Every structure is written in C-alpha cells, then in structure tokens.
Amino acid sequence: LELEDWLIELLALESADLAHICRHFGIDRDDLASELQSAVGRFATGSGRVPGLAPATVRVAKGALLLTELDAGGGRVRSGTLLAAALQDERAAPQLRDSAPSLRRIDPETLRDNLNDIAAQSLEADTPEAGASHPPDGVLSPVDDALGRFTVDLTALAEAGRSVLVIDLDPQ
C-alpha cells in the first residue's frame, strides 16, 4: 500500500479532513484524485510477493501518530494529520508532490498548526459542531469503515485471547 493509494481512499470520504483541506487550500478533489490515480498507474506491477505496506507508508503513519501525541495529546489519528506527516516527511514529501502537483499548494506547517480550524466541520473532528463524530454503537463512520478495510485491530484480538504476532518493519 503506497501513500498515493491511501490518499485516494481518504479523498473518497466526502466529509473527512481531506475534503476540508482541499477546499481550504483551493485544490479540486477530483483533480487531486486523478493525479494520484495517474501516479498509481505508473507504479511497477507484477510482483509475486504478498501485498504489504510500503516503507514510506509505515514511516508516515508513525509520524502521524507522533504528531497526534504531540499536538493533540493522543486520540485518533486523523487523515489530515496523516497528510501533514506525509508532507513533512523529507523522503515522502518530494515523491508525493511529484505524484500529485496539486499538493504543492499545501504548506505543511500551516496544515499542522491549523488543522483543527481548517477541518473543524470534518467528521473526524472532536467538536460538537462537527456533528456525530462518534457514531452510535454498532454504526461505523466512513473513516472507521476505511480503517477497518485496511487494518487489523490487534488490541481486540489480544483481548479476545487470540494470539497476535507483531512484526516490526523498522530495522532499528
């Protein structure tokens, strides 16, 4: 899973952070999605390996988790925080901007410092103005649904008594 693949999925969520970020920075979501799709179409294909997370995706996810901890005191990692982390990553940012030139309009520091204001009406925001950011029991929000499609809840598996094997992809 490359960063471009992840962003395409997140862009499809109408009321998530990325929709608000695009609007704020004057980016057409459809144009951005087309740029990302075009970039994905140029990626090498045909590997016989089991699909997995690209190193840049893992690095950006870790960066977003760190930003969430530092800036918001923990909680859920928002798609806007993932984008901010990607645009601040010294290796991922140039590649991402080459893949989708529209992303050059976003200043990473402005996004990081003002995400709560930029995406205050996002379904990911933890404010009453954002509507039901925590859906009723048994109802998944689009963000939870997307997360569920691409991840495994290791905590829930462990709490259910199932064995969990965790492989650290970081060579350190």
Side-chain angles (χ1 to χ4, degrees):
L1 179 69
E2 298 286 344
L3 285 171
E4 291 84 351
D5 295 310
W6 207 359
L7 289 175
I8 289 167
E9 290 297 321
L10 293 171
L11 274 171
L13 303 173
E14 296 283 332
S15 298
D17 285 357
L18 291 188
H20 295 274
I21 291 166
C22 286
R23 198 171 308 116
H24 178 82
F25 287 98
I27 298 171
D28 183 278
R29 269 182 41 221
D30 292 334
D31 290 347
L32 178 55
S34 293
E35 291 170 356
L36 293 167
Q37 287 284 9
S38 179
V40 168
R42 291 189 301 271
F43 291 162
T45 60
S47 171
R49 295 180 58 191
V50 175
L53 295 175
T57 304
V58 173
R59 200 174 52 253
V60 165
K62 287 180 179 181
L65 182 59
L66 182 61
L67 286 177
T68 299
E69 289 294 324
L70 294 176
D71 293 345
R76 294 188 295 175
V77 175
R78 297 171 63 165
S79 62
T81 308
L82 286 166
L83 181 59
L87 294 176
Q88 288 181 312
D89 185 275
E90 64 186 33
R91 290 185 279 175
Q95 176 187 332
L96 205 49
R97 288 187 181 108
D98 286 344
S99 293
S102 294
L103 292 174
R104 293 179 182 145
R105 294 173 139 175
I106 300 174
D107 176 61
E109 286 75 29
T110 300
L111 176 58
R112 177 184 171 181
D113 294 343
N114 300 296
L115 176 61
N116 289 332
D117 294 329
I118 292 169
Q121 299 300 312
S122 167
L123 63 86
E124 298 175 71
D126 287 330
T127 62
E129 305 88 50
S133 63
H134 302 287
D137 289 337
V139 178
L140 290 177
S141 72
V143 171
D144 293 331
D145 185 43
L147 188 61
R149 287 175 47 207
F150 297 107
T151 63
V152 174
D153 187 343
L154 297 177
T155 303
L157 289 175
E159 287 172 348
R162 296 182 56 196
S163 54
V164 177
L165 172 64
V166 177
I167 300 171
D168 185 359
L169 299 176
D170 192 348
Q172 296 177 1

